Amino acid sequence: MSHGHWTDVARAVGLLAPDGAVSSTIFAEMSALATRTGAVNLGQGFPDVDGPAHLKAAAIAAIERGDNQYPPGAGIPALLDAVATHQRRCYGLEVDPATEVLVTAGATEALAATILALAGPGDEVVTLEPFYDSYTAAIALSGATHRTIPLRPTPEGFRLEAADVEAAFSPRTRLALVNSPHNPTGTVLTADELSLIARAAIAHDAVVVTDEVYEHLTYDAQHVPMATLPGMAERTVTISSAGKTFSFTGWKVGWLHGPAELVTAVRTVKQFLTYVASGPFQHAVAVGLADEDGRTGEYVTGLARSLQERRDLLCGALTEAGFAPVVPRGTYFVVADGAGLGYEDAVDLCRDLPKRAGVVAIPVTAFCTPGGEVARQLRAYVRFTYVKHEATLEQAARGLARLGGQGRLGG
Ligand SMILES: *Cc1c(COP(=O)(O)O)cnc(C)c1O
């Protein structure tokens, strides 16, 4: 089994041992641990409540109506229009639904198709680090080299520095992939930080690809799309999806928009990955994004408000337990330093947490280049999700309270 790109992918994400054995991901290990111990699973980030009933009804109506065959390759017209409407209403961006929008099987396919279409061997792709795990895999599949800009913990949250941005770009940079609001850190990049990346991209004639799947899940911070910055709409592919915004992660409806020439390039690859996906759900997401009666907007505002309360609950519990949480401004994740609990390596801490606190979480090194500088700096950091019922978070808080004042078990 040593042929094919799968080994490049496995190596890039740190799953290939020197003897060729493939290990499972820390996500799989921690989820299995949660199942085995009955601990509260704050590792995997998906909601435990469905999204709005009127969107479910729209999906059911589409199925009943007979919208069950292949939808058009670019996406159904109503959804293409709704993406354009949403971008104009929320950000003042003018997008041509006929040539500048593409519907995908979630943001994951949009990211993979964009990277495969626009980068290849000899090219470099820049991302923030820590990074969402599918980025490394898609970059490895493309044959390009992955370069990163570290996000560093500061009293003002995880921030990036101008010198790090400059150092990450080179004459070989083809793409800069920017995720804000950022998973795993919960950082919402400021317009100034985005400008640093925009300037570097323009200087190196690179295309910027954005992952904005948490665009509506922000608290005391404003999400700024890269495409709204001067000179950036013409070189930016903007990616988002319905999963996080509408709490329907299983529907897998994503989209991207950008200059027609780039969208054509991505569609050329995308049509041979899934061809099309999620037909009936595209109709429901169109209703949500167009939001003609304001009901979806109300739902999303309420979701963000409730997530902010749940963030505060979990951050308070983590602080009392001896963690140092870096308070997130967006997403539904919080990253916390576990060094105060006597652990140098968050992998050990995460393996002990189910027994000691009845909670499962993920070490932040799972989102870093194995053995790299960022992995070293964030070695004791743990990611928790708070997109769970308040009662579930309260149960987690009671468990975490058992850690307060205890040293590490066994010294
Ligand atoms: C969840 C997530 C995705 C994947 O979105 P899908 O629409 O489910 O494919 C992409 N990027 C980030 C940062 C995410 O957290």
Side-chain angles (χ1 to χ4, degrees):
M1 282 228 301
S2 63
H3 298 291
H5 283 304
W6 76 271
T7 48
D8 302 330
V9 172
R11 196 173 297 112
V13 298
L15 295 183
L16 198 62
D19 66 357
V22 184
S23 46
S24 59
T25 66
I26 191 87
F27 299 92
E29 180 188 337
M30 290 302 150
S31 283
L33 198 55
T35 309
R36 200 161 65 239
T37 60
V40 178
N41 192 349
L42 303 185
Q44 261 194 320
F46 59 86
D48 55 6
V49 192
D50 280 347
H54 70 284
L55 296 191
K56 283 197 211 183
I60 292 164
I63 290 172
E64 295 288 359
R65 207 165 53 226
D67 285 320
N68 299 302
Q69 310 308 327
Y70 294 132
I76 63 164
L79 180 51
L80 301 176
D81 286 342
V83 169
T85 302
H86 173 270
Q87 294 306 87
R88 186 180 321 111
R89 187 180 69 235
C90 296
Y91 309 119
L93 286 168
E94 289 302 328
V95 174
D96 177 5
T99 59
E100 297 180 336
V101 186
L102 178 64
V103 174
T104 56
T108 307
E109 191 198 27
L111 288 158
T114 303
I115 292 166
L116 290 171
L118 303 180
D123 295 334
E124 294 179 356
V125 179
V126 172
T127 74
L128 306 174
E129 185 172 1
F131 43 75
Y132 187 63
D133 55 349
S134 84
Y135 300 175
T136 353
I139 294 166
L141 278 176
S142 79
T145 302
H146 189 184
R147 307 275 304 267
T148 66
I149 304 167
L151 281 169
R152 301 182 186 279
T154 78
E156 282 78 47
F158 281 85
R159 308 266 54 114
L160 54 79
E161 288 170 16
D164 290 327
V165 175
E166 268 167 43
F169 280 76
S170 86
R172 291 175 177 272
T173 307
R174 268 293 280 148
L175 300 179
L177 169 47
V178 183
N179 172 213
S180 178
H182 181 259
N183 175 9
T185 65
T187 299
V188 179
L189 292 182
T190 63
D192 285 346
E193 286 171 315
L194 291 169
S195 298
L196 292 173
I197 298 171
R199 265 204 297 282
I202 290 169
H204 292 90
D205 198 20
V207 169
V208 173
V209 182
T210 66
D211 178 344
E212 306 183 25
V213 300
Y214 297 101
E215 60 187 314
H216 293 296
L217 306 184
T218 59
Y219 335 105
D220 24 88
Q222 179 79 33
H223 169 62
V224 181
M226 181 65 90
T228 62
L229 268 59
M232 291 310 290
E234 64 211 59
R235 62 171 68 246
T236 300
V237 175
T238 300
I239 293 174
S240 193
S241 117
K244 311 295 162 56
T245 298
F246 300 146
S247 298
F248 288 123
T249 58
W251 285 9
K252 296 300 287 190
V253 178
W255 55 89
L256 60 86
H257 73 81
E261 186 194 4
L262 293 178
V263 171
T264 299
V266 178
R267 192 172 60 229
T268 305
V269 170
K270 177 262 181 309
Q271 66 194 342
F272 300 112
L273 294 177
T274 57
Y275 176 45
V276 291
S278 312
F281 300 120
Q282 290 191 27
H283 291 271
V285 172
V287 171
L289 285 182
D291 196 23
E292 278 171 10
D293 58 9
R295 265 196 291 178
T296 316
E298 216 169 283
Y299 167 81
V300 175
T301 309
L303 174 63
R305 197 178 311 120
S306 121
L307 280 170
Q308 181 164 1
E309 285 166 16
R310 289 182 268 172
R311 172 197 71 172
D312 294 343
L313 192 168
L314 183 60
C315 285
L318 288 169
T319 303
E320 274 181 37
F323 283 94
V326 183
V327 178
R329 297 289 188 87
T331 76
Y332 35 56
F333 300 105
V334 55
V335 157
D337 186 353
L341 290 158
Y343 287 82
E344 278 171 29
D345 189 339
V347 173
D348 297 332
L349 173 52
C350 287
R351 286 188 175 133
D352 284 358
L353 269 183
K355 193 168 48 178
R356 295 191 58 197
V359 169
V360 161
I362 303 285
V364 171
T365 48
F367 306 92
C368 299
T369 307
E373 182 215 327
V374 179
R376 263 197 308 282
Q377 190 175 20
L378 302 182
R379 190 158 169 238
Y381 284 73
V382 181
R383 188 193 77 168
F384 299 84
T385 184
Y386 47 90
V387 68
K388 301 293 169 193
H389 276 296
E390 210 166 280
T392 305
L393 293 175
E394 275 159 6
Q395 186 189 336
R398 284 192 297 277
L400 288 165
R402 300 206 302 266
L403 292 171
Q406 289 178 40
R408 179 177 180 175
L409 278 188

